Amino acid sequence: MGDTEKKLHFVMVHGFGHGAWCWFKIRSLLEASDYKVTCLDLKASGIDPSDPNTIFTFQEYNEPLIDLLSNLPENENVILVGHSAGGLSLTYAIHRFANKIHMAIYVAANMLRRGFVSDQDYKDADPDLSKYGDINKTVYGLGADQPPTSTVIKAQFQRKILYHLSSKEDSTLAAMLLRPGPLRPFRGVHFTEGPESGADSVPRVFIKTMHDRVIMQHQQDAMIRRWPPAQVFVVESDHSPFFSTPSHLFAYLLEAVTSINCAT
C-alpha cells in the first residue's frame, strides 16, 4: 500500500438504534491494513449518554459527525461509510462538506439526494416492516397525544429482521447493545441544495444487500436508479453485512477506494 492510501481516513456511520460498536469487525480489518478509522456514535446512540427522547432535530442527531468534519485538518479528506439510516447522515454531510469528503459509500443505506420530500421518496427508502406484525417498542416522551419520540425493534424480532444470516454470537451481542433510536430527527428529514452544494462532486458507491429484510431489493434498486452512484457492489448478506459478510464488505470498501482513485 502506498503512502497516499495509508493516509485515507474511513469514518463509519451507523444506522438507526446502532452505534460505533457495529463496525468492530470492519474496523479491525481496515486498521490491520494501515487505514485510519473513526467509528462514530451519533447522538443518543452507542455509548453517547443523550436521551433519545430529547433529540428533536437531524442537525442535533448528527452533531458528532458535523463536529468531526468541521475540525478536520485542511489537507485531510475522509471516506464516509454509512449503513441503513446512516445514509441520510452521509447525504447531509455531502451537502455541507463536499470539499472534505473523498467518497461516500452507502451500505444498504438510504440514498436520497434531497431526503424525504415526495411520496416516491418514502416508497423507495422507508422500510415497511408491517408484515412482521407489532415489532416495535415505542416511547411517547412528549405525551400520548404527541408523535412518538423513540423506538426499538423488540428483542424477539431483532435477529429475524436485522441479522438473520449473521452468527448467533453477533446477533446476541447486538441484542445487548441495540438502543431505542430518536424518531423526531427523521420526521420529514430533507436537504436543501444551495448554490454551494456539492451533491454531485462527491463520488458515491452503493453496496447492495441481496437478502435484506429492512430495505428491500426493489427499494435499493429504485434509489440507485434515481440517483446513480459511480459504482454498485453486491453482497449476499442480510441487512447487516458488517456481521454476516465482513470479509466481503471489507474487500468492496477497498475496491471502491481503488476504483475511484483510478478514475480520478
Side-chain angles (χ1 to χ4, degrees):
M1 182 180 298
D3 290 342
T4 301
E5 287 184 296
K6 285 184 181 180
K7 295 176 184 176
L8 290 177
H9 180 183
F10 283 87
V11 176
M12 319 300 286
V13 183
H14 60 79
F16 188 84
H18 288 68
W21 55 266
C22 72
W23 298 107
F24 77 98
K25 292 183 179 184
I26 302 301
R27 177 173 182 167
S28 297
L29 290 167
L30 287 169
E31 289 183 339
S33 297
D34 293 325
Y35 289 100
K36 181 178 180 180
V37 185
T38 299
C39 299
L40 291 171
D41 282 325
L42 300 180
K43 278 293 189 73
S45 306
I47 61 172
D48 181 90
S50 306
D51 180 350
N53 299 294
T54 65
I55 307 298
F56 296 143
T57 68
F58 200 64
Q59 180 176 349
E60 183 181 9
Y61 174 68
N62 283 283
E63 275 181 8
L65 175 59
I66 299 308
D67 288 348
L68 182 146
L69 294 172
S70 297
N71 292 299
L72 277 178
E74 285 295 324
N75 62 344
E76 183 175 351
N77 286 7
V78 299
I79 300 163
L80 293 183
V81 182
H83 174 247
S84 197
L88 293 167
S89 298
L90 263 59
T91 305
Y92 178 55
I94 286 173
H95 283 296
R96 293 189 58 182
F97 296 98
N99 63 322
K100 296 189 175 185
I101 302 169
H102 182 69
M103 180 191 316
I105 303 177
Y106 293 74
V107 181
N110 297 129
M111 187 175 67
L112 298 170
R113 180 178 183 134
R114 297 181 58 212
F116 289 101
V117 178
S118 67
D119 291 342
Q120 190 66 44
D121 295 325
Y122 284 95
K123 181 179 178 181
D124 293 344
D126 194 22
D128 180 6
L129 304 178
S130 58
K131 68 180 179 180
Y132 297 104
D134 181 18
I135 65 166
N136 290 314
K137 181 179 180 181
T138 302
V139 173
Y140 292 79
L142 299 177
D145 60 335
Q146 297 295 316
T149 50
S150 69
T151 194
V152 65
I153 294 178
K154 294 175 182 176
Q156 64 266 35
F157 293 101
Q158 290 171 8
R159 178 169 174 80
K160 181 177 182 179
I161 295 172
L162 299 172
Y163 319 112
H164 69 282
L165 296 181
S166 303
S167 73
K168 183 64 174 172
E169 290 82 1
D170 287 336
S171 64
T172 299
L173 171 69
M176 297 169 68
L177 296 173
L178 206 62
R179 290 178 59 183
L183 286 170
R184 294 295 286 270
F186 292 94
R187 291 188 65 197
V189 60
H190 64 278
F191 315 114
T192 302
E193 289 191 77
E196 302 301 318
S197 173
D200 288 320
S201 66
V202 175
R204 286 173 293 107
V205 171
F206 195 96
I207 299 180
K208 292 176 58 177
T209 42
M210 296 303 290
H211 307 285
D212 202 314
R213 293 178 175 175
V214 178
I215 301 181
M216 305 301 288
Q217 280 303 299
H218 68 274
Q219 293 181 302
Q220 296 184 49
D221 290 338
M223 290 187 287
I224 290 168
R225 187 169 55 251
R226 289 179 62 198
W227 194 21
Q231 210 159 13
V232 176
F233 297 104
V234 175
V235 288
E236 298 290 334
S237 81
D238 54 21
H239 186 59
S240 306
F242 42 73
F243 286 158
S244 59
T245 55
S247 60
H248 290 93
L249 177 56
F250 167 67
Y252 285 141
L253 293 179
L254 297 195
E255 189 173 340
V257 170
T258 302
S259 63
I260 296 299
N261 283 346
C262 290
T264 56

